[in-house]
Amino acid sequence: MKKKMLLLNTTVLLGLGGVLSTPAYASTIQDMESQKSQIQNQRQDVQSNIKAASDELTRLQAEQDQMKAQLERLTLAEEENNKKAQKTEADIKETSKQVDQLEKEIKLLQEKLEKRNDILKDRARSMQESGGNVEYLQVLLGSSSFGDFVDRALAVSTIVDADRGILKETKNMQDELKTKQADVKSKLASLEDMKAELDEMTVQLAAQKKQKDALAKELKDKEAKNEELKASLQSKDSSLANEQSTLEQNIKDQKAAEEAARKAAEQAAKEAAKKAAAEPAEKADSPSPKAAPKASSNDVAPTSAPAPKASNVVTVGNRWIGNSAYVFGGGRSQSDINHGLFDCSSFVHWAYSQVGVNLGPLGSVSTETLKHAGTQVSSSQMQPGDLVFFDTYKKDGHVGIYVGGGKFIGAQSSTGVAIANMSSGYWKQKFNGRVVRI
């Protein structure tokens, strides 16, 4: 009987050990854990790519926003320049009418002068026939033109009062018409030059806008492709997450089954030991049952988830490079400045104001006021911060701030605020040597 009980206990212990070791379960869980680890690694790679795609989208969207803002500035600048071009065109037409009117007045005056000339000739003949002053006759005969005659005649002191009155009135009329004609023609020439400048600016702004429209479309296409890539990666990550979730549930179920089997084996062992202890004849010879070894847990520990001051006037305007547009007469209101709309003189005024230097009233600043704002120095002594002037549509028609190295920063009609080379090309030809130190 003693041998029989010993054999039974040995069998139970062997059976319990077999249940606790569960090689089939361990192999299955190990495979699933390995597969889970592989999926987690794949998800890490995918999520890293998703982040890269998101970062690129953010960059592209920021670039797109910047491009839209610049396009809005260029559109606004184009509208403002078109308004000024239309006004200039109207001024040219009005001034042309004034020129035509003056030409008519000059023609009428010339006809009147011819009649007066005949009167004066008749007077001269009468004086000659009656033995008049010879000096007066010499004035008439020695003059190269009627205008010359008027000037000569006024110098003769022996002219009768009636003739002197006619001559003075004639001289005044001549001088007045010449002055009006010169003023109007000068104004017309200036307006025509300004119109040409505005037309050129309109063409350049349209070209910039076209180029930036193409770039904006390219950015939009990149953005769409990146969105598509991000969506594909997110879909893949979602699929891997589902696989991972399924594996985790399978592992959990498998461990639960293993724990149930272990407890069942323990219970069977306890019942077998209890039954063996109930045999009174064999009680003294029965060895005390050994405590069943505790099975080690295969649970995987959860992982935690990873937790404006400008230095000087030379550089203060750099913030507007690529973010501004040229508007003839712009930059003289806070709204224009907020939108980066300048002309050359208003930009210089703004730049100096940023470093605490007032160059006079903003509303009346011009290249003419700026060239008298400081001390003129030789171009050979030019240094960063000096104002440099260029003859464009008129003398001293453009101004900028010298930055050194043969370059200057200014509001250019073709680009808005930009740094340009005055050592060669267009700006070298236009630089007139005027340098003003503030």
Side-chain angles (χ1 to χ4, degrees):
M1 186 65 180
K2 182 178 178 181
K3 289 183 180 180
K4 183 178 179 181
M5 288 303 298
L6 181 61
L7 181 60
L8 176 62
N9 287 339
T10 302
T11 302
V12 170
L13 290 172
L14 288 173
L16 180 61
V19 171
L20 292 176
S21 63
T22 56
Y25 287 130
S27 175
T28 303
I29 292 175
Q30 185 177 1
D31 289 343
M32 286 190 291
E33 289 285 5
S34 175
Q35 190 176 353
K36 176 185 170 184
S37 178
Q38 291 174 6
I39 291 175
Q40 286 175 328
N41 290 336
Q42 289 181 49
R43 285 196 69 193
Q44 285 178 355
D45 292 340
V46 171
Q47 288 170 352
S48 176
N49 290 334
I50 290 173
K51 184 179 183 306
S54 296
D55 291 345
E56 178 64 8
L57 270 175
T58 301
R59 187 190 69 78
L60 288 171
Q61 287 166 354
E63 194 171 342
Q64 185 84 352
D65 290 343
Q66 186 178 5
M67 188 65 63
K68 286 178 182 176
Q70 180 64 0
L71 283 171
E72 288 174 3
R73 276 190 289 271
L74 289 174
T75 300
L76 186 57
E78 188 175 27
E79 290 173 356
E80 290 297 320
N81 285 328
N82 283 338
K83 288 178 186 177
K84 286 181 173 62
Q86 290 170 4
K87 183 179 183 305
T88 303
E89 186 73 40
D91 290 343
I92 288 173
K93 288 181 180 179
E94 181 61 29
T95 306
S96 296
K97 288 180 182 178
Q98 294 177 22
V99 172
D100 292 341
Q101 182 62 33
L102 281 173
E103 292 292 347
K104 290 178 182 177
E105 291 179 16
I106 289 170
K107 185 177 179 181
L108 290 173
L109 176 63
Q110 286 174 339
E111 291 174 358
K112 184 183 284 189
L113 290 176
E114 288 297 330
K115 291 178 181 179
R116 292 191 177 191
N117 189 19
D118 292 340
I119 293 172
L120 289 171
K121 283 180 180 179
D122 289 342
R123 287 176 181 274
R125 289 192 191 98
S126 297
M127 288 180 68
Q128 184 179 16
E129 290 171 357
S130 61
N133 188 284
V134 176
E135 185 179 5
Y136 187 79
L137 298 175
Q138 289 175 339
V139 167
L140 176 63
L141 297 174
S143 60
S144 59
S145 64
F146 183 66
D148 184 32
F149 168 74
V150 171
D151 291 335
R152 286 169 173 260
L154 285 172
V156 177
S157 60
T158 58
I159 298 175
V160 296
D161 290 341
D163 290 351
R164 183 177 297 278
I166 293 174
L167 290 168
K168 282 185 176 181
E169 183 182 353
T170 302
K171 174 67 173 174
N172 291 338
M173 291 171 67
Q174 280 182 322
D175 292 345
E176 182 181 356
L177 279 176
K178 283 180 181 178
T179 300
K180 284 184 178 179
Q181 190 177 35
D183 289 346
V184 172
K185 285 184 176 180
S186 174
K187 179 181 178 182
L188 181 61
S190 177
L191 286 170
E192 287 173 344
D193 288 341
M194 186 184 298
K195 178 67 167 52
E197 183 89 357
L198 287 166
D199 288 344
E200 178 63 23
M201 271 187 274
T202 300
V203 171
Q204 291 171 345
L205 286 167
Q208 284 185 65
K209 192 176 176 187
K210 184 178 179 181
Q211 182 181 8
K212 291 186 183 298
D213 278 335
L215 184 56
K217 183 179 181 303
E218 182 182 340
L219 286 172
K220 198 69 179 173
D221 291 343
K222 286 182 179 178
E223 203 174 296
K225 288 179 181 178
N226 218 53
E227 284 280 13
E228 186 179 345
L229 173 62
K230 182 180 176 182
S232 174
L233 288 168
Q234 287 174 331
S235 176
K236 184 176 181 180
D237 183 59
S238 177
S239 176
L240 289 170
N242 288 336
E243 289 184 39
Q244 181 177 333
S245 178
T246 300
L247 278 171
E248 287 172 347
Q249 185 60 46
N250 290 342
I251 291 171
K252 183 179 178 181
D253 293 343
Q254 193 78 315
K255 287 181 177 179
E258 180 184 293
E259 180 65 14
R262 185 184 67 78
K263 288 181 178 179
E266 286 182 349
Q267 185 62 30
K270 287 179 181 179
E271 288 178 358
K274 185 177 179 181
K275 186 177 179 180
E279 297 287 342
E282 301 292 330
K283 185 175 182 181
D285 299 324
S286 297
S288 300
K290 295 181 179 178
K294 291 185 179 180
S296 60
S297 173
N298 288 324
D299 289 342
V300 178
T303 57
S304 60
K309 177 180 178 182
S311 59
N312 55 60
V313 75
V314 174
T315 58
V316 71
N318 290 352
R319 59 171 288 196
W320 293 116
I321 295 175
N323 297 308
S324 58
Y326 185 96
V327 172
F328 202 92
R332 287 163 179 77
S333 68
Q334 193 57 47
S335 175
D336 278 0
I337 292 172
N338 291 342
H339 287 90
L341 304 178
F342 297 97
D343 66 9
C344 60
S345 53
S346 66
F347 170 74
V348 168
H349 187 285
W350 174 85
Y352 269 92
S353 72
Q354 299 306 294
V355 294
V357 178
N358 186 352
L359 295 181
L362 175 60
S364 59
V365 66
S366 66
T367 54
E368 192 66 23
T369 64
L370 290 176
K371 74 182 185 182
H372 300 297
T375 304
Q376 292 198 31
V377 298
S378 169
S379 59
S380 62
Q381 298 176 326
M382 189 162 49
Q383 63 186 31
D386 290 343
L387 304 188
V388 286
F389 291 79
F390 305 84
D391 293 343
T392 51
Y393 73 97
K394 68 174 185 177
K395 184 170 180 60
D396 297 318
H398 190 70
V399 64
I401 302 171
Y402 186 64
V403 299
K407 296 180 179 180
F408 75 100
I409 186 170
Q412 326 296 8
S413 61
S414 59
T415 58
V417 176
I419 294 175
N421 190 347
M422 57 185 287
S423 299
S424 62
Y426 176 81
W427 291 113
K428 181 180 180 181
Q429 295 173 4
K430 297 297 181 180
F431 179 52
N432 62 20
R434 186 187 298 279
V435 180
V436 172
R437 184 160 298 157
I438 301 300

